[in-house]
Amino acid sequence: RTWVHAKDAGTGSYIRNNWFSAGFTPKDLAVIDNIDGNPGAEIAVLFQRDSDGRTWVHSKDVLTGSYVKNVWFEQGYTPMRLEIVPDLDGNPGDELAVLSTKNADGRPWVFVRDALTGAFIRNAWFQGGFTPMDFAVLPEMDGNIGAEIAVLGEKTNGQVQVEIKDAKTNAFINQVNFP
């Protein structure tokens, strides 16, 4: 079973062990601002189900260990990373963004769902022939409300590049090449 051992960053004092179900391989974790209405943050763990490879994020209250939400993602993709996107849909709480690769062709996708309801927000796809290495959520830069998603990857010709897209619309914003 997976567990997250929470400690106070300032003092090192023990806070709580948060246990998660067996049968799932952990991939990443993130902290979400409070979405369950009690004081304190939530811990969100990105998992891949061992039996069929399905991706899900299981959120628990850090202080109590109580279940908050399970958010399931599309099948046929291998999850890599989890990030939190500032609210895009106007309800309380942020969104979950999962960087995945499509099993059929290796193309990177970022799936965005509401952390509180699990509702679909946006699927952002990135160029083919581009192996993702990491991703980040960037502050607003294209003039609409919302954040941007930047994926770092390597093209088949060896070029390292960051591709940036709008988290709300999937609109292309920029590519940045690195030597």
Side-chain angles (χ1 to χ4, degrees):
R1 288 181 50 194
T2 299
W3 61 282
V4 175
H5 185 84
K7 287 189 167 190
D8 183 287
T11 66
S13 298
Y14 168 81
I15 294 175
R16 169 167 207 83
N17 286 328
N18 287 284
W19 292 91
F20 295 86
S21 299
F24 299 87
T25 299
K27 297 290 188 166
D28 202 3
L29 63 88
V31 175
I32 307 172
D33 285 338
N34 187 336
I35 59 173
D36 66 356
N38 69 348
E42 303 357 316
I43 188 79
V45 180
L46 172 65
F47 288 102
Q48 188 170 25
R49 187 163 51 190
D50 296 340
S51 63
D52 63 3
R54 180 95 187 259
T55 300
W56 72 309
V57 174
H58 186 127
S59 300
K60 287 191 170 190
D61 184 89
V62 173
L63 296 177
T64 67
S66 298
Y67 163 83
V68 174
K69 184 72 181 172
N70 287 330
V71 177
W72 292 90
F73 290 83
E74 288 74 356
Q75 287 187 289
Y77 296 82
T78 300
M80 296 176 60
R81 293 275 333 266
L82 171 65
E83 290 287 342
I84 305 303
V85 176
D87 184 50
L88 295 172
D89 62 0
N91 72 349
D94 294 329
E95 323 305 0
L96 303 168
V98 175
L99 173 65
S100 300
T101 54
K102 189 173 183 179
N103 294 346
D105 62 11
R107 186 177 194 159
W109 287 68
V110 175
F111 299 105
V112 182
R113 291 191 170 270
D114 186 81
L116 180 62
T117 67
F120 170 81
I121 303 292
R122 162 69 48 208
N123 291 341
W125 54 91
F126 294 80
Q127 61 187 306
F130 182 70
T131 303
M133 300 158 66
D134 202 355
F135 88 123
V137 175
L138 303 177
E140 172 54 40
M141 60 191 330
D142 66 349
N144 68 356
I145 296 172
E148 321 306 355
I149 298 170
V151 175
L152 170 69
E154 185 175 355
K155 295 184 66 133
T156 53
N157 67 3
Q159 176 70 57
V160 175
Q161 186 177 80
V162 172
E163 185 175 355
I164 305 169
K165 289 201 162 185
D166 185 88
K168 192 169 188 173
T169 67
N170 189 42
F172 173 82
I173 295 174
N174 200 7
Q175 284 181 346
V176 181
N177 292 321
F178 294 91

